[in-house]
PDB file of all heavy atoms in Angstrom:
ATOM      1  N   GLY A   1      -5.853   4.524   2.702  1.00 98.00           N
ATOM      2  CA  GLY A   1      -5.806   5.955   2.404  1.00 98.00           C
ATOM      3  C   GLY A   1      -4.385   6.487   2.346  1.00 98.00           C
ATOM      4  O   GLY A   1      -4.052   7.322   1.481  1.00 98.00           O
ATOM      5  N   THR A   2      -3.521   6.024   3.237  1.00 98.00           N
ATOM      6  CA  THR A   2      -2.120   6.452   3.230  1.00 98.00           C
ATOM      7  C   THR A   2      -1.437   5.999   1.946  1.00 98.00           C
ATOM      8  O   THR A   2      -0.688   6.769   1.319  1.00 98.00           O
ATOM      9  CB  THR A   2      -1.383   5.879   4.454  1.00 98.00           C
ATOM     10  OG1 THR A   2      -2.011   6.351   5.647  1.00 98.00           O
ATOM     11  CG2 THR A   2       0.079   6.307   4.454  1.00 98.00           C
ATOM     12  N   LEU A   3      -1.687   4.764   1.530  1.00 98.00           N
ATOM     13  CA  LEU A   3      -1.087   4.264   0.295  1.00 98.00           C
ATOM     14  C   LEU A   3      -1.558   5.081  -0.915  1.00 98.00           C
ATOM     15  O   LEU A   3      -0.768   5.372  -1.826  1.00 98.00           O
ATOM     16  CB  LEU A   3      -1.422   2.784   0.098  1.00 98.00           C
ATOM     17  CG  LEU A   3      -0.828   1.817   1.125  1.00 98.00           C
ATOM     18  CD1 LEU A   3      -1.242   0.381   0.802  1.00 98.00           C
ATOM     19  CD2 LEU A   3       0.694   1.921   1.186  1.00 98.00           C
ATOM     20  N   LYS A   4      -2.820   5.459  -0.924  1.00 98.00           N
ATOM     21  CA  LYS A   4      -3.333   6.272  -2.037  1.00 98.00           C
ATOM     22  C   LYS A   4      -2.636   7.627  -2.085  1.00 98.00           C
ATOM     23  O   LYS A   4      -2.342   8.148  -3.181  1.00 98.00           O
ATOM     24  CB  LYS A   4      -4.848   6.464  -1.901  1.00 98.00           C
ATOM     25  CG  LYS A   4      -5.649   5.233  -2.282  1.00 98.00           C
ATOM     26  CD  LYS A   4      -7.145   5.497  -2.152  1.00 98.00           C
ATOM     27  CE  LYS A   4      -7.951   4.256  -2.538  1.00 98.00           C
ATOM     28  NZ  LYS A   4      -9.415   4.473  -2.379  1.00 98.00           N
ATOM     29  N   GLN A   5      -2.361   8.217  -0.926  1.00 98.00           N
ATOM     30  CA  GLN A   5      -1.636   9.490  -0.905  1.00 98.00           C
ATOM     31  C   GLN A   5      -0.226   9.335  -1.484  1.00 98.00           C
ATOM     32  O   GLN A   5       0.258  10.219  -2.194  1.00 98.00           O
ATOM     33  CB  GLN A   5      -1.556  10.019   0.528  1.00 98.00           C
ATOM     34  CG  GLN A   5      -2.871  10.493   1.105  1.00 98.00           C
ATOM     35  CD  GLN A   5      -2.702  11.075   2.493  1.00 98.00           C
ATOM     36  OE1 GLN A   5      -2.148  12.163   2.676  1.00 98.00           O
ATOM     37  NE2 GLN A   5      -3.147  10.338   3.496  1.00 98.00           N
ATOM     38  N   LEU A   6       0.408   8.223  -1.189  1.00 98.00           N
ATOM     39  CA  LEU A   6       1.750   7.975  -1.734  1.00 98.00           C
ATOM     40  C   LEU A   6       1.695   7.811  -3.245  1.00 98.00           C
ATOM     41  O   LEU A   6       2.546   8.338  -3.973  1.00 98.00           O
ATOM     42  CB  LEU A   6       2.356   6.727  -1.089  1.00 98.00           C
ATOM     43  CG  LEU A   6       2.573   6.782   0.419  1.00 98.00           C
ATOM     44  CD1 LEU A   6       3.096   5.444   0.932  1.00 98.00           C
ATOM     45  CD2 LEU A   6       3.536   7.906   0.787  1.00 98.00           C
ATOM     46  N   GLY A   7       0.691   7.096  -3.718  1.00 98.00           N
ATOM     47  CA  GLY A   7       0.536   6.952  -5.162  1.00 98.00           C
ATOM     48  C   GLY A   7       0.293   8.289  -5.837  1.00 98.00           C
ATOM     49  O   GLY A   7       0.812   8.556  -6.923  1.00 98.00           O
ATOM     50  N   ALA A   8      -0.476   9.163  -5.183  1.00 98.00           N
ATOM     51  CA  ALA A   8      -0.752  10.487  -5.740  1.00 98.00           C
ATOM     52  C   ALA A   8       0.507  11.345  -5.814  1.00 98.00           C
ATOM     53  O   ALA A   8       0.602  12.247  -6.658  1.00 98.00           O
ATOM     54  CB  ALA A   8      -1.817  11.192  -4.904  1.00 98.00           C
ATOM     55  N   LEU A   9       1.488  11.083  -4.936  1.00 98.00           N
ATOM     56  CA  LEU A   9       2.762  11.810  -4.979  1.00 98.00           C
ATOM     57  C   LEU A   9       3.676  11.307  -6.094  1.00 98.00           C
ATOM     58  O   LEU A   9       4.707  11.918  -6.360  1.00 98.00           O
ATOM     59  CB  LEU A   9       3.489  11.686  -3.636  1.00 98.00           C
ATOM     60  CG  LEU A   9       2.867  12.404  -2.441  1.00 98.00           C
ATOM     61  CD1 LEU A   9       3.693  12.128  -1.187  1.00 98.00           C
ATOM     62  CD2 LEU A   9       2.786  13.915  -2.689  1.00 98.00           C
ATOM     63  N   GLY A  10       3.303  10.196  -6.707  1.00 98.00           N
ATOM     64  CA  GLY A  10       4.103   9.670  -7.804  1.00 98.00           C
ATOM     65  C   GLY A  10       4.934   8.452  -7.469  1.00 98.00           C
ATOM     66  O   GLY A  10       5.681   7.947  -8.319  1.00 98.00           O
ATOM     67  N   TYR A  11       4.842   7.964  -6.226  1.00 98.00           N
ATOM     68  CA  TYR A  11       5.583   6.747  -5.881  1.00 98.00           C
ATOM     69  C   TYR A  11       4.980   5.561  -6.619  1.00 98.00           C
ATOM     70  O   TYR A  11       3.761   5.451  -6.764  1.00 98.00           O
ATOM     71  CB  TYR A  11       5.577   6.528  -4.368  1.00 98.00           C
ATOM     72  CG  TYR A  11       6.472   7.505  -3.644  1.00 98.00           C
ATOM     73  CD1 TYR A  11       5.950   8.691  -3.100  1.00 98.00           C
ATOM     74  CD2 TYR A  11       7.838   7.290  -3.551  1.00 98.00           C
ATOM     75  CE1 TYR A  11       6.774   9.614  -2.468  1.00 98.00           C
ATOM     76  CE2 TYR A  11       8.670   8.218  -2.920  1.00 98.00           C
ATOM     77  CZ  TYR A  11       8.141   9.362  -2.384  1.00 98.00           C
ATOM     78  OH  TYR A  11       8.963  10.283  -1.767  1.00 98.00           O
ATOM     79  N   LYS A  12       5.848   4.693  -7.095  1.00 98.00           N
ATOM     80  CA  LYS A  12       5.406   3.551  -7.896  1.00 98.00           C
ATOM     81  C   LYS A  12       5.674   2.214  -7.207  1.00 98.00           C
ATOM     82  O   LYS A  12       4.913   1.267  -7.376  1.00 98.00           O
ATOM     83  CB  LYS A  12       6.130   3.551  -9.254  1.00 98.00           C
ATOM     84  CG  LYS A  12       5.883   4.774 -10.114  1.00 98.00           C
ATOM     85  CD  LYS A  12       4.434   4.844 -10.563  1.00 98.00           C
ATOM     86  CE  LYS A  12       4.224   5.890 -11.658  1.00 98.00           C
ATOM     87  NZ  LYS A  12       4.612   7.251 -11.254  1.00 98.00           N
ATOM     88  N   GLU A  13       6.787   2.120  -6.486  1.00 98.00           N
ATOM     89  CA  GLU A  13       7.158   0.879  -5.808  1.00 98.00           C
ATOM     90  C   GLU A  13       7.289   1.130  -4.308  1.00 98.00           C
ATOM     91  O   GLU A  13       7.723   2.216  -3.902  1.00 98.00           O
ATOM     92  CB  GLU A  13       8.486   0.337  -6.341  1.00 98.00           C
ATOM     93  CG  GLU A  13       8.430  -0.099  -7.785  1.00 98.00           C
ATOM     94  CD  GLU A  13       9.712  -0.768  -8.242  1.00 98.00           C
ATOM     95  OE1 GLU A  13      10.757  -0.610  -7.572  1.00 98.00           O
ATOM     96  OE2 GLU A  13       9.667  -1.450  -9.292  1.00 98.00           O
ATOM     97  N   VAL A  14       6.931   0.131  -3.523  1.00 99.00           N
ATOM     98  CA  VAL A  14       7.067   0.265  -2.081  1.00 99.00           C
ATOM     99  C   VAL A  14       7.653  -1.012  -1.495  1.00 99.00           C
ATOM    100  O   VAL A  14       7.618  -2.080  -2.109  1.00 99.00           O
ATOM    101  CB  VAL A  14       5.718   0.587  -1.387  1.00 99.00           C
ATOM    102  CG1 VAL A  14       5.238   1.972  -1.762  1.00 99.00           C
ATOM    103  CG2 VAL A  14       4.670  -0.473  -1.704  1.00 99.00           C
ATOM    104  N   GLU A  15       8.166  -0.839  -0.288  1.00 98.00           N
ATOM    105  CA  GLU A  15       8.756  -1.931   0.464  1.00 98.00           C
ATOM    106  C   GLU A  15       8.113  -1.909   1.847  1.00 98.00           C
ATOM    107  O   GLU A  15       8.057  -0.868   2.492  1.00 98.00           O
ATOM    108  CB  GLU A  15      10.267  -1.691   0.550  1.00 98.00           C
ATOM    109  CG  GLU A  15      11.050  -2.764   1.275  1.00 98.00           C
ATOM    110  CD  GLU A  15      12.539  -2.479   1.184  1.00 98.00           C
ATOM    111  OE1 GLU A  15      12.958  -1.361   1.557  1.00 98.00           O
ATOM    112  OE2 GLU A  15      13.278  -3.364   0.738  1.00 98.00           O
ATOM    113  N   SER A  16       7.621  -3.044   2.283  1.00 98.00           N
ATOM    114  CA  SER A  16       6.880  -3.062   3.538  1.00 98.00           C
ATOM    115  C   SER A  16       7.807  -3.155   4.743  1.00 98.00           C
ATOM    116  O   SER A  16       8.933  -3.642   4.655  1.00 98.00           O
ATOM    117  CB  SER A  16       5.905  -4.240   3.564  1.00 98.00           C
ATOM    118  OG  SER A  16       6.595  -5.458   3.792  1.00 98.00           O
ATOM    119  N   ALA A  17       7.297  -2.697   5.884  1.00 97.00           N
ATOM    120  CA  ALA A  17       7.943  -2.880   7.181  1.00 97.00           C
ATOM    121  C   ALA A  17       6.834  -3.194   8.172  1.00 97.00           C
ATOM    122  O   ALA A  17       6.630  -2.500   9.157  1.00 97.00           O
ATOM    123  CB  ALA A  17       8.716  -1.634   7.585  1.00 97.00           C
ATOM    124  N   GLY A  18       6.081  -4.259   7.877  1.00 97.00           N
ATOM    125  CA  GLY A  18       4.927  -4.646   8.666  1.00 97.00           C
ATOM    126  C   GLY A  18       3.641  -4.423   7.894  1.00 97.00           C
ATOM    127  O   GLY A  18       3.552  -3.511   7.055  1.00 97.00           O
ATOM    128  N   TYR A  19       2.645  -5.269   8.170  1.00 98.00           N
ATOM    129  CA  TYR A  19       1.363  -5.179   7.460  1.00 98.00           C
ATOM    130  C   TYR A  19       0.211  -4.777   8.372  1.00 98.00           C
ATOM    131  O   TYR A  19      -0.941  -4.719   7.933  1.00 98.00           O
ATOM    132  CB  TYR A  19       1.060  -6.513   6.763  1.00 98.00           C
ATOM    133  CG  TYR A  19       2.064  -6.838   5.673  1.00 98.00           C
ATOM    134  CD1 TYR A  19       2.958  -7.892   5.814  1.00 98.00           C
ATOM    135  CD2 TYR A  19       2.132  -6.069   4.512  1.00 98.00           C
ATOM    136  CE1 TYR A  19       3.884  -8.193   4.821  1.00 98.00           C
ATOM    137  CE2 TYR A  19       3.052  -6.351   3.512  1.00 98.00           C
ATOM    138  CZ  TYR A  19       3.932  -7.413   3.678  1.00 98.00           C
ATOM    139  OH  TYR A  19       4.845  -7.688   2.687  1.00 98.00           O
ATOM    140  N   PHE A  20       0.486  -4.523   9.638  1.00 97.00           N
ATOM    141  CA  PHE A  20      -0.475  -3.947  10.576  1.00 97.00           C
ATOM    142  C   PHE A  20      -1.773  -4.762  10.661  1.00 97.00           C
ATOM    143  O   PHE A  20      -2.873  -4.209  10.634  1.00 97.00           O
ATOM    144  CB  PHE A  20      -0.749  -2.481  10.216  1.00 97.00           C
ATOM    145  CG  PHE A  20       0.506  -1.658  10.128  1.00 97.00           C
ATOM    146  CD1 PHE A  20       1.141  -1.444   8.904  1.00 97.00           C
ATOM    147  CD2 PHE A  20       1.105  -1.148  11.277  1.00 97.00           C
ATOM    148  CE1 PHE A  20       2.332  -0.720   8.827  1.00 97.00           C
ATOM    149  CE2 PHE A  20       2.280  -0.421  11.201  1.00 97.00           C
ATOM    150  CZ  PHE A  20       2.899  -0.207   9.983  1.00 97.00           C
ATOM    151  N   HIS A  21      -1.596  -6.075  10.729  1.00 96.00           N
ATOM    152  CA  HIS A  21      -2.691  -7.027  10.949  1.00 96.00           C
ATOM    153  C   HIS A  21      -3.665  -7.114   9.781  1.00 96.00           C
ATOM    154  O   HIS A  21      -4.776  -7.645   9.933  1.00 96.00           O
ATOM    155  CB  HIS A  21      -3.467  -6.683  12.233  1.00 96.00           C
ATOM    156  CG  HIS A  21      -2.588  -6.561  13.437  1.00 96.00           C
ATOM    157  ND1 HIS A  21      -1.902  -7.626  13.982  1.00 96.00           N
ATOM    158  CD2 HIS A  21      -2.246  -5.475  14.202  1.00 96.00           C
ATOM    159  CE1 HIS A  21      -1.208  -7.225  15.017  1.00 96.00           C
ATOM    160  NE2 HIS A  21      -1.381  -5.924  15.179  1.00 96.00           N
ATOM    161  N   HIS A  22      -3.275  -6.649   8.613  1.00 98.00           N
ATOM    162  CA  HIS A  22      -4.129  -6.789   7.439  1.00 98.00           C
ATOM    163  C   HIS A  22      -3.888  -8.143   6.784  1.00 98.00           C
ATOM    164  O   HIS A  22      -2.761  -8.656   6.790  1.00 98.00           O
ATOM    165  CB  HIS A  22      -3.862  -5.671   6.436  1.00 98.00           C
ATOM    166  CG  HIS A  22      -4.319  -4.320   6.895  1.00 98.00           C
ATOM    167  ND1 HIS A  22      -5.648  -3.963   6.936  1.00 98.00           N
ATOM    168  CD2 HIS A  22      -3.634  -3.246   7.350  1.00 98.00           C
ATOM    169  CE1 HIS A  22      -5.758  -2.729   7.396  1.00 98.00           C
ATOM    170  NE2 HIS A  22      -4.553  -2.269   7.659  1.00 98.00           N
ATOM    171  N   SER A  23      -4.916  -8.703   6.202  1.00 98.00           N
ATOM    172  CA  SER A  23      -4.785  -9.955   5.467  1.00 98.00           C
ATOM    173  C   SER A  23      -4.069  -9.697   4.145  1.00 98.00           C
ATOM    174  O   SER A  23      -3.968  -8.555   3.674  1.00 98.00           O
ATOM    175  CB  SER A  23      -6.163 -10.551   5.195  1.00 98.00           C
ATOM    176  OG  SER A  23      -6.872  -9.742   4.265  1.00 98.00           O
ATOM    177  N   ALA A  24      -3.604 -10.773   3.533  1.00 98.00           N
ATOM    178  CA  ALA A  24      -2.946 -10.635   2.236  1.00 98.00           C
ATOM    179  C   ALA A  24      -3.911 -10.034   1.211  1.00 98.00           C
ATOM    180  O   ALA A  24      -3.520  -9.188   0.393  1.00 98.00           O
ATOM    181  CB  ALA A  24      -2.425 -11.992   1.763  1.00 98.00           C
ATOM    182  N   ALA A  25      -5.158 -10.453   1.254  1.00 98.00           N
ATOM    183  CA  ALA A  25      -6.145  -9.922   0.304  1.00 98.00           C
ATOM    184  C   ALA A  25      -6.338  -8.422   0.497  1.00 98.00           C
ATOM    185  O   ALA A  25      -6.446  -7.662  -0.481  1.00 98.00           O
ATOM    186  CB  ALA A  25      -7.471 -10.659   0.470  1.00 98.00           C
ATOM    187  N   GLU A  26      -6.383  -7.980   1.754  1.00 98.00           N
ATOM    188  CA  GLU A  26      -6.565  -6.545   2.038  1.00 98.00           C
ATOM    189  C   GLU A  26      -5.353  -5.748   1.580  1.00 98.00           C
ATOM    190  O   GLU A  26      -5.503  -4.643   1.022  1.00 98.00           O
ATOM    191  CB  GLU A  26      -6.793  -6.350   3.539  1.00 98.00           C
ATOM    192  CG  GLU A  26      -8.143  -6.842   4.024  1.00 98.00           C
ATOM    193  CD  GLU A  26      -8.248  -6.871   5.534  1.00 98.00           C
ATOM    194  OE1 GLU A  26      -7.199  -6.907   6.224  1.00 98.00           O
ATOM    195  OE2 GLU A  26      -9.386  -6.865   6.036  1.00 98.00           O
ATOM    196  N   VAL A  27      -4.156  -6.272   1.807  1.00 98.00           N
ATOM    197  CA  VAL A  27      -2.942  -5.576   1.378  1.00 98.00           C
ATOM    198  C   VAL A  27      -2.896  -5.476  -0.142  1.00 98.00           C
ATOM    199  O   VAL A  27      -2.613  -4.405  -0.702  1.00 98.00           O
ATOM    200  CB  VAL A  27      -1.680  -6.303   1.907  1.00 98.00           C
ATOM    201  CG1 VAL A  27      -0.417  -5.684   1.302  1.00 98.00           C
ATOM    202  CG2 VAL A  27      -1.627  -6.239   3.428  1.00 98.00           C
ATOM    203  N   LYS A  28      -3.189  -6.566  -0.813  1.00 98.00           N
ATOM    204  CA  LYS A  28      -3.158  -6.569  -2.283  1.00 98.00           C
ATOM    205  C   LYS A  28      -4.150  -5.559  -2.849  1.00 98.00           C
ATOM    206  O   LYS A  28      -3.841  -4.831  -3.794  1.00 98.00           O
ATOM    207  CB  LYS A  28      -3.473  -7.969  -2.811  1.00 98.00           C
ATOM    208  CG  LYS A  28      -2.347  -8.965  -2.618  1.00 98.00           C
ATOM    209  CD  LYS A  28      -2.733 -10.357  -3.080  1.00 98.00           C
ATOM    210  CE  LYS A  28      -2.827 -10.458  -4.570  1.00 98.00           C
ATOM    211  NZ  LYS A  28      -3.046 -11.862  -5.020  1.00 98.00           N
ATOM    212  N   GLN A  29      -5.354  -5.510  -2.274  1.00 98.00           N
ATOM    213  CA  GLN A  29      -6.364  -4.576  -2.767  1.00 98.00           C
ATOM    214  C   GLN A  29      -5.939  -3.136  -2.534  1.00 98.00           C
ATOM    215  O   GLN A  29      -6.097  -2.270  -3.412  1.00 98.00           O
ATOM    216  CB  GLN A  29      -7.700  -4.837  -2.083  1.00 98.00           C
ATOM    217  CG  GLN A  29      -8.860  -4.051  -2.685  1.00 98.00           C
ATOM    218  CD  GLN A  29      -9.104  -4.422  -4.140  1.00 98.00           C
ATOM    219  OE1 GLN A  29      -9.340  -5.576  -4.449  1.00 98.00           O
ATOM    220  NE2 GLN A  29      -9.043  -3.436  -5.035  1.00 98.00           N
ATOM    221  N   ALA A  30      -5.380  -2.853  -1.363  1.00 98.00           N
ATOM    222  CA  ALA A  30      -4.945  -1.489  -1.048  1.00 98.00           C
ATOM    223  C   ALA A  30      -3.822  -1.051  -1.976  1.00 98.00           C
ATOM    224  O   ALA A  30      -3.784   0.105  -2.429  1.00 98.00           O
ATOM    225  CB  ALA A  30      -4.496  -1.400   0.410  1.00 98.00           C
ATOM    226  N   MET A  31      -2.886  -1.947  -2.248  1.00 98.00           N
ATOM    227  CA  MET A  31      -1.792  -1.622  -3.164  1.00 98.00           C
ATOM    228  C   MET A  31      -2.328  -1.360  -4.575  1.00 98.00           C
ATOM    229  O   MET A  31      -1.920  -0.398  -5.246  1.00 98.00           O
ATOM    230  CB  MET A  31      -0.764  -2.762  -3.194  1.00 98.00           C
ATOM    231  CG  MET A  31      -0.011  -2.972  -1.907  1.00 98.00           C
ATOM    232  SD  MET A  31       1.175  -1.652  -1.565  1.00 98.00           S
ATOM    233  CE  MET A  31       1.671  -2.109   0.118  1.00 98.00           C
ATOM    234  N   ALA A  32      -3.221  -2.208  -5.019  1.00 98.00           N
ATOM    235  CA  ALA A  32      -3.787  -2.046  -6.363  1.00 98.00           C
ATOM    236  C   ALA A  32      -4.557  -0.734  -6.481  1.00 98.00           C
ATOM    237  O   ALA A  32      -4.427  -0.013  -7.479  1.00 98.00           O
ATOM    238  CB  ALA A  32      -4.699  -3.230  -6.681  1.00 98.00           C
ATOM    239  N   ASP A  33      -5.350  -0.416  -5.468  1.00 98.00           N
ATOM    240  CA  ASP A  33      -6.134   0.822  -5.503  1.00 98.00           C
ATOM    241  C   ASP A  33      -5.240   2.061  -5.521  1.00 98.00           C
ATOM    242  O   ASP A  33      -5.621   3.108  -6.055  1.00 98.00           O
ATOM    243  CB  ASP A  33      -7.067   0.890  -4.290  1.00 98.00           C
ATOM    244  CG  ASP A  33      -8.194  -0.133  -4.354  1.00 98.00           C
ATOM    245  OD1 ASP A  33      -8.413  -0.702  -5.438  1.00 98.00           O
ATOM    246  OD2 ASP A  33      -8.831  -0.380  -3.309  1.00 98.00           O
ATOM    247  N   ALA A  34      -4.053   1.940  -4.910  1.00 98.00           N
ATOM    248  CA  ALA A  34      -3.118   3.070  -4.857  1.00 98.00           C
ATOM    249  C   ALA A  34      -2.179   3.112  -6.061  1.00 98.00           C
ATOM    250  O   ALA A  34      -1.422   4.069  -6.214  1.00 98.00           O
ATOM    251  CB  ALA A  34      -2.290   2.990  -3.576  1.00 98.00           C
ATOM    252  N   GLY A  35      -2.227   2.091  -6.893  1.00 98.00           N
ATOM    253  CA  GLY A  35      -1.325   2.035  -8.051  1.00 98.00           C
ATOM    254  C   GLY A  35       0.111   1.752  -7.666  1.00 98.00           C
ATOM    255  O   GLY A  35       1.039   2.186  -8.353  1.00 98.00           O
ATOM    256  N   LEU A  36       0.308   1.011  -6.577  1.00 98.00           N
ATOM    257  CA  LEU A  36       1.647   0.725  -6.070  1.00 98.00           C
ATOM    258  C   LEU A  36       2.007  -0.738  -6.282  1.00 98.00           C
ATOM    259  O   LEU A  36       1.148  -1.626  -6.178  1.00 98.00           O
ATOM    260  CB  LEU A  36       1.725   1.047  -4.574  1.00 98.00           C
ATOM    261  CG  LEU A  36       1.504   2.501  -4.169  1.00 98.00           C
ATOM    262  CD1 LEU A  36       1.431   2.624  -2.650  1.00 98.00           C
ATOM    263  CD2 LEU A  36       2.618   3.397  -4.725  1.00 98.00           C
TER     264      LEU A  36
END
């Protein structure tokens, strides 16, 4: 949900500082859903 809010603000690229125990598949899906 946080990533989607960032995408809605117009952010296109992001840089991580931790993945908060999410799997690679979960991170990839969240990024894709947010358009990041």
